[in-house]
Amino acid sequence: EYPPPNSLLRPCWLQQIPSAMAPTAGELQGLLDCAAEVRTSMAVKIQCQAVADDFPVPEGGKKVYLIRHGEGFHNVAQKEWRAKPDWDGKTEPYTVNNDPQGKYTDALLTEKGEGQAKDLQSRTATLQ
């Protein structure tokens, strides 16, 4: 039997469409119907817990490290931008409209940010 009972796979068939042909409305609807079923069947539950670096990983578990970059010039610019009395609550300093020269295209670290990265090196060198 295909798919096997209790499988995450669900039968979801669409007619193969040659690339030169545009799909019909019915074919597109079939794809949309299938996508909802696949999305539901592939749902994943994640349980997270903050732990120490040396916390043993339980059987079948994964340890994920979330590390944010150090302070960048764009962070400083954003903080200053948002502190302005006329800030509209929406705009950011590093958009194409507000930064046409692209000063913040590459998020360079400030001296403080470089120090934060250096401080993290010894800690991350021992992670497994």
Side-chain angles (χ1 to χ4, degrees):
E1 183 179 344
Y2 183 83
N6 301 323
S7 166
L8 286 179
L9 297 174
R10 302 284 188 268
C12 185
W13 309 107
L14 287 178
Q15 194 175 23
Q16 233 178 344
I17 304 167
S19 59
M21 295 175 55
T24 66
E27 290 164 336
L28 286 175
Q29 188 57 53
L31 181 59
L32 289 172
D33 294 343
C34 178
E37 189 171 340
V38 169
R39 184 172 48 248
T40 300
S41 69
M42 294 181 73
V44 176
K45 277 190 175 181
I46 298 175
Q47 185 177 16
C48 297
Q49 177 182 354
V51 297
D53 293 344
D54 60 353
F55 184 84
V57 179
E59 182 69 32
K62 300 279 184 202
K63 190 184 287 188
V64 178
Y65 297 92
L66 303 175
I67 301 172
R68 189 179 182 278
H69 61 77
E71 179 188 76
F73 286 101
H74 65 293
N75 299 124
V76 174
Q78 182 186 52
K79 185 177 180 181
E80 291 170 355
W81 183 273
R82 290 180 174 184
K84 292 179 182 179
D86 61 340
W87 181 53
D88 63 6
K90 298 175 187 171
T91 57
E92 297 294 344
Y94 37 73
T95 62
V96 173
N97 293 339
N98 297 326
D99 180 29
Q101 293 84 24
K103 287 190 323 191
Y104 306 113
T105 301
D106 187 9
L108 300 175
L109 298 180
T110 63
E111 188 175 325
K112 177 181 178 180
E114 287 183 15
Q116 291 167 329
K118 283 208 179 289
D119 291 345
L120 191 58
Q121 282 179 342
S122 60
R123 182 175 174 191
T124 57
T126 62
L127 300 178
Q128 296 192 25

